[in-house]
Amino acid sequence: MQDWKETGTDISNWILDYASSNGISTLVVGVSGGIDSAVVSTLCARTGLRTMVLNMPVHQEKTQNDLSNQHMSWLTSNWQNVESHVIDLSSSFDSLSSVLKEKNVTELAMANTRARLRMATLYSIAGSNNGIVVGTGNKVEDFGVGFFTKYGDGGVDISPIADLYKSEVYALADSLGVIQDIQDAAPTDGLWPDGRTDEEQIGATYAELEWAMMEIESPSEAEPTERQRQVMERYLQLNSANSHKMKPIPVFKRRDH
């Protein structure tokens, strides 16, 4: 049985070792009010390094914004090396949006623009504080269905939980004592004005996506149910469509003269 407290210590030590070996003194994490960023920011706090956590609302739903602030308050009350900042990007997004809408930019592109504004903000802070941006993606998102914004939340320096399934992130969160409201909240990327959840966007739960990912890695002999067939079809569809995010950038190789 997995010892999640030990795993948490291992990951925090891994973050600390990476930072130390690269002369990094600050860890910068964007917190969304979701489970992944809550876990990663907690693991960073446990390193003892200066940890800057940023809540970057862009016309955020009140519940999401409140959860982000609650988590930051919990961190700063438990670790003296943590400092929290709220940087409201709503006006910046509005200014850019007003220009881009004249070019018929799609709703999806504007949603991804929110994530890219946050990435630029994180790197501005990290670059000004001898820091690195610490990623918050899990295994299903980063290597299964590519559920992240290219050069948005996918633009990071290290990925501490990218080898953990979502269910494992929840187990780790519980061992770390992450506040229960965050553990109970429906996963959402917070990029849409209507507050749609990840499940609504993907068309499957994380548990179902985990099943599909594991089934591909180690096929079972059991006959899949109709729902499992549907989930597998959706998983493969997303995996293919988003493969450009999960593979290295293609580089032209010139012929030797």
Side-chain angles (χ1 to χ4, degrees):
M1 186 175 179
Q2 183 85 38
D3 185 335
W4 288 108
K5 288 187 177 180
E6 182 178 343
T7 299
T9 298
D10 289 344
I11 297 175
S12 290
N13 287 338
W14 176 82
I15 296 170
L16 179 59
D17 288 345
Y18 179 88
S20 299
S21 63
N22 288 280
I24 298 300
S25 59
T26 306
L27 305 173
V28 181
V29 190
V31 293
S32 64
I35 195 75
D36 295 326
S37 63
V39 165
V40 170
S41 54
T42 304
L43 292 170
C44 288
R46 285 159 53 99
T47 65
L49 289 175
R50 182 189 186 195
T51 298
M52 301 179 72
V53 291
L54 275 60
N55 175 16
M56 299 169 287
V58 182
H59 299 299
Q60 221 66 30
E61 281 201 343
K62 186 177 185 301
T63 53
Q64 295 171 10
N65 196 51
D66 288 348
L67 285 175
S68 296
N69 289 331
Q70 285 177 39
H71 177 65
M72 293 195 305
S73 295
W74 177 75
L75 286 174
T76 54
S77 66
N78 282 281
W79 287 276
Q80 293 184 347
N81 56 305
V82 177
E83 55 187 82
S84 64
H85 302 272
V86 177
I87 302 177
D88 195 326
L89 298 175
S90 299
S91 60
S92 299
F93 176 78
D94 289 344
S95 296
L96 184 56
S97 179
S98 65
V99 175
L100 292 178
K101 283 182 179 178
E102 296 176 2
K103 306 301 181 183
N104 297 317
V105 175
T106 66
E107 187 180 18
L108 175 59
M110 289 311 303
N112 286 325
T113 296
R114 294 182 183 223
R116 292 178 178 128
L117 276 175
R118 290 171 178 151
M119 177 276 295
T121 302
L122 290 168
Y123 271 98
S124 292
I125 298 298
S128 303
N129 291 278
N130 188 36
I132 55 173
V133 176
V134 184
T136 61
N138 59 67
K139 186 173 184 177
V140 175
E141 294 170 338
D142 285 5
F143 300 110
V145 294
F147 190 66
F148 59 88
T149 298
K150 199 172 188 178
Y151 305 118
D153 50 327
V156 301
D157 293 307
I158 59 172
S159 296
I161 63 169
D163 195 40
L164 300 183
Y165 288 108
K166 191 78 167 185
S167 60
E168 294 176 320
V169 175
Y170 277 105
L172 184 53
D174 186 60
S175 74
L176 293 170
V178 169
I179 60 177
Q180 195 63 45
D181 284 348
I182 289 178
Q183 295 190 49
D184 293 340
T188 177
D189 57 16
L191 300 181
W192 299 88
D194 58 10
R196 67 191 68 173
T197 66
D198 292 353
E199 181 179 347
E200 289 170 338
Q201 293 186 65
I202 296 170
T205 66
Y206 278 102
E208 290 175 325
L209 295 172
E210 284 185 28
W211 167 83
M213 197 170 186
M214 292 177 180
E215 184 68 15
I216 290 172
E217 293 175 352
S218 181
S220 64
E221 296 181 359
E223 184 72 16
T225 65
E226 179 58 30
R227 175 55 183 168
Q228 287 174 331
R229 289 192 182 92
Q230 293 172 353
V231 169
M232 181 60 76
E233 181 179 358
R234 181 59 173 158
Y235 176 89
L236 293 173
Q237 179 187 38
L238 290 170
N239 180 270
S240 175
N242 294 325
S243 62
H244 66 97
K245 302 181 188 179
M246 300 179 279
K247 295 177 181 178
I249 298 172
V251 177
F252 167 76
K253 297 293 185 180
R254 64 181 182 179
R255 291 177 292 179
D256 292 333
H257 296 291

